Amino acid sequence: MKHPITALLTTLGLSLSAAATTAHAQDDPIVVGGLNYTEHLILTSATFQLLEANDYNVDKRDGLGTSVLRQAQENGQVDLYWEYTGNSVILFNDQPQPDDAAETYATAKRLDAEKGLVWLDPSDTNNTYALAMREADAEERDIHTLSDLAEAMKDGADLTLASNAEFYARDDGLRPLQEAYGFEFTRANVKRMDSGLTYNALREEEVDVALVFATDGRNGAFDFEVLDDDKQFFPVYQLAPVVREETLDANPDLEPLLNEMSAALNDEMLIDLNRRVDVDDQNIERVAKDFLTENDLM
């Protein structure tokens, strides 16, 4: 004999699973946050579309700064977003740089659990900071590593750097980088600008060196040489979805969905997705949807 609820659903042409799925839409919206640059805008859009396709009621709040977004999550204004392990350990928890990717992830997971934040499975990515030069210029000056750059500057090379304001001031940013390698850009030789503008400044020969991100598609497309961090100064910035514990408890199906998306990401994938937007001028929402469909996530 059918359970009365099952019988009623059958009469209405629904199943228990369908009813459970549509129930997502009746809950308070899950707020997906995002940072203010291409890679994050793509991931935020893809996450929003993925949850919507699984009948969650979703709100998207992207374009935020790093510290603002983290504070919004800690305050309960954002339920989930993709974060970098290095940010959690060094910037948010004020810990020394761990030795490798696994230790960095484990440290972020442990420390943030105390704040009610759950790190899900990490992706196979490392979008760390890097410094780049134009390929031809790097070849002419014989600068291929950060140690080479330091030697050139100590020998009197008058080089200018394009940097965003955050890197200029971060504890894992320009000042400690210069201390580690033993060189210094004078204040007059550092041009501060938004992250995306550093690439054009270098390409158009307005500066000699630029802050870039390792997984940015413009590095190869613009014929940049990313200088090798031969002293391994920069922390590992491995991407993973981070969800408020309260949100995950109320929506446990989020975990397998986001873990599957995380498993599809790697450095080559991020470079390609970023290139589609920044070089090929494709629409962010379209690129995000293509990523989901190409990886059988939708």
Side-chain angles (χ1 to χ4, degrees):
M1 181 177 180
K2 288 183 178 179
H3 190 282
I5 294 178
T6 305
L8 175 60
L9 291 171
T10 301
T11 301
L12 295 173
L14 297 171
S15 66
L16 280 171
S17 60
T21 300
T22 56
H24 289 313
Q26 309 308 313
D27 300 333
D28 290 336
I30 292 173
V31 180
V32 179
L35 296 171
N36 57 354
Y37 50 88
T38 301
E39 180 166 291
H40 234 265
L41 293 170
I42 295 169
L43 290 174
T44 306
S45 178
T47 305
F48 177 84
Q49 293 183 53
L50 177 65
L51 298 191
E52 269 205 329
N54 284 274
D55 295 301
Y56 283 95
N57 183 12
V58 197
D59 185 15
K60 181 175 65 172
R61 298 180 190 172
D62 57 13
L64 303 176
T66 302
S67 297
V68 171
L69 179 53
R70 169 66 177 223
Q71 195 62 51
Q73 188 178 46
E74 290 190 17
N75 291 343
Q77 298 165 300
V78 167
D79 292 297
L80 72 93
Y81 76 100
W82 291 80
E83 185 53 277
Y84 301 94
T85 52
N87 277 347
S88 171
V89 174
I90 297 168
L91 188 61
F92 304 141
N93 287 295
D94 196 25
Q95 297 296 305
Q97 179 178 330
D99 291 334
D100 56 31
E103 186 182 349
T104 305
Y105 172 77
T107 303
K109 186 178 181 73
R110 173 176 55 83
L111 293 174
D112 283 346
E114 299 170 5
K115 302 175 182 180
L117 305 178
V118 181
W119 282 75
L120 302 183
D121 290 353
S123 60
D124 185 20
T125 59
N126 182 19
N127 187 16
T128 191
Y129 285 117
L131 297 187
M133 297 178 65
R134 291 179 297 280
E135 251 179 25
D137 196 20
E139 189 65 34
E140 181 181 343
R141 294 176 180 270
D142 196 24
I143 297 176
H144 306 287
T145 69
L146 291 179
S147 289
D148 292 340
L149 176 65
E151 285 303 313
M153 295 188 68
K154 285 187 283 188
D155 287 343
D158 185 26
L159 303 177
T160 53
L161 169 72
S163 170
N164 65 23
E166 183 176 305
F167 180 73
Y168 186 83
R170 280 176 68 119
D171 289 340
D172 58 344
L174 182 60
R175 178 186 50 76
L177 170 68
Q178 294 179 141
E179 290 174 359
Y181 279 94
F183 71 99
E184 182 179 6
F185 285 99
T186 65
R187 179 181 289 269
N189 279 17
V190 179
K191 297 185 178 182
R192 281 174 278 182
M193 58 191 71
D194 290 342
S195 296
L197 298 180
T198 64
Y199 296 84
N200 286 334
L202 181 60
R203 187 187 192 190
E204 295 168 10
E205 302 187 14
E206 296 172 4
V207 296
D208 304 297
V209 185
L211 174 71
V212 299
F213 293 102
T215 56
D216 197 292
R218 287 170 289 187
N219 293 331
F222 290 177
D223 296 325
F224 292 167
E225 178 166 345
V226 176
L227 303 182
D228 180 40
D229 178 17
D230 50 307
K231 291 188 178 181
Q232 298 183 324
F233 166 81
F234 288 116
V236 175
Y237 288 95
Q238 192 174 19
L239 269 168
V242 182
V243 190
R244 293 179 64 241
E245 184 177 15
E246 183 179 332
T247 302
L248 196 58
D249 287 344
N251 302 275
D253 289 345
L254 285 174
E255 184 166 355
L257 272 179
L258 294 172
N259 282 343
E260 188 176 7
M261 180 174 164
S262 188
L265 291 169
N266 54 49
D267 286 343
E268 292 72 22
M269 175 74 70
L270 289 177
I271 289 170
D272 179 57
L273 295 174
N274 289 327
R275 177 192 55 76
R276 296 186 202 185
V277 173
D278 289 328
V279 179
D280 300 338
D281 292 324
Q282 294 184 29
N283 176 269
I284 285 176
E285 284 69 31
R286 179 75 240 181
V287 170
K289 184 175 182 180
D290 287 346
F291 160 72
L292 295 172
T293 54
E294 289 165 9
N295 289 277
D296 299 322
L297 297 171
M298 289 270 272

